[in-house]
């Protein structure tokens, strides 16, 4: 059998240049890195900060911070990025703003290192209405619509968004605003 290459452990300081960039761009320090994702071409790493709602984009090869975006305040003024995942076609990041109960999109252009929080694309999962005319968040159907883990299918159009209180939404992320196209309750 062929021997797999050995990975070398590496420590990346998120408190130095990365924190300074986030503070310079957003006026707040990023707190508690939670999830890491890498885009399809493996050129950029995306780090989600669960305590402060920051999304940090880094050059994957050099480990240099490129941009830092703070998500929108949502329910009760909260913002908390549980997971930001890049689309396979590299056109956006799907962002689960957990305690803000917002599903957000950051439009991406990795070639030019341009990353823009597209506020017009946001879905407020605490206040929206589904295609079936049901309140997105309802005590009997979906009691807690904090988005947790978005997963994007291979064409980059649909995102499957799991919800903390149970259930799931299928979202067309190519629309602005993004649109729920299917719903699943408890």
């Amino acid at each position: 059998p062929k021997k797999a290459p050995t990975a070398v452990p590496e420590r990346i300081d998120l408190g130095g240049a990365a924190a300074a960039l986030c503070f310079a761009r957003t006026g707040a320090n990023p707190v508690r890195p939670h999830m890491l994702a890498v885009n399809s071409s493996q050129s950029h790493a995306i780090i989600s900060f669960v305590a402060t709602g920051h999304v940090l984009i880094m050059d994957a090869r050099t480990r240099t911070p490129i941009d830092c975006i703070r998500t929108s305040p949502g329910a009760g003024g909260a913002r908390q990025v549980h997971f930001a995942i890049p689309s396979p076609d590299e056109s956006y990041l799907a962002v689960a703003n957990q305690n803000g109960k917002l599903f957000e999109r950051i439009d991406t252009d990795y070639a030019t290192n341009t990353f823009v929080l597209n506020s017009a694309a946001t879905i407020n999962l605490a206040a929206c209405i589904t295609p079936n005319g049901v309140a997105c968040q309802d005590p009997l159907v979906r009691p807690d619509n904090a988005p947790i883990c978005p997963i994007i299918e291979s064409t980059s159009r649909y995102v499957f968004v799991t919800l903390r209180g149970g259930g799931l939404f299928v979202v067309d992320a190519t629309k602005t605003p993004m649109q729920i196209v299917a719903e699943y309750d408890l």
Side-chain angles (χ1 to χ4, degrees), residues 12-20 30 33 47 49 56 58:
I12 299 170
D13 181 6
L14 297 177
I47 301 171
F49 287 83
L56 174 67
M58 298 185 74

Side-chain angles (χ1 to χ4, degrees), residues 12 14 22 33-50 53-61 63-69 71 81-88 90-96 106-110 113-115 150 152:
I12 299 170
L14 297 177
C22 285
H34 183 65
M35 300 270 258
L36 172 99
V38 178
N39 65 334
S40 296
S41 61
Q42 300 185 348
S43 61
H44 292 72
I46 294 86
I47 301 171
S48 304
F49 287 83
V50 74
H54 286 89
V55 175
L56 174 67
I57 297 104
M58 298 185 74
D59 182 293
R61 187 181 55 75
R63 312 315 195 241
T64 304
I66 295 170
D67 202 353
C68 186
I69 296 168
T71 54
V81 178
H82 189 264
F83 189 36
I85 184 171
S87 61
E90 300 192 343
S91 65
Y92 67 90
L93 299 172
V95 182
I106 296 173
D107 296 332
T108 60
D109 183 336
Y110 295 101
N113 286 325
T114 304
F115 307 95
I152 306 169

Side-chain angles (χ1 to χ4, degrees), residues 1-33:
K2 188 176 181 178
K3 185 178 177 183
T6 303
V8 178
E10 184 176 350
R11 185 175 301 221
I12 299 170
D13 181 6
L14 297 177
L21 175 68
C22 285
F23 189 82
R25 297 269 169 94
T26 69
N29 283 313
V31 177
R32 203 176 315 140

Side-chain angles (χ1 to χ4, degrees), residues 53 69-74 79 92-93 95 97 101-108 115-125 173 175-179:
I69 296 168
R70 194 165 191 204
T71 54
S72 308
R79 55 180 146 201
Y92 67 90
L93 299 172
V95 182
N97 182 339
K101 296 188 179 183
L102 301 175
F103 185 60
E104 297 186 271
R105 187 177 76 213
I106 296 173
D107 296 332
T108 60
F115 307 95
V116 178
L117 178 62
N118 187 336
S119 298
T122 300
I123 302 174
N124 181 335
L125 299 178
K175 304 283 185 188
T176 302
M178 293 184 287
Q179 294 178 355

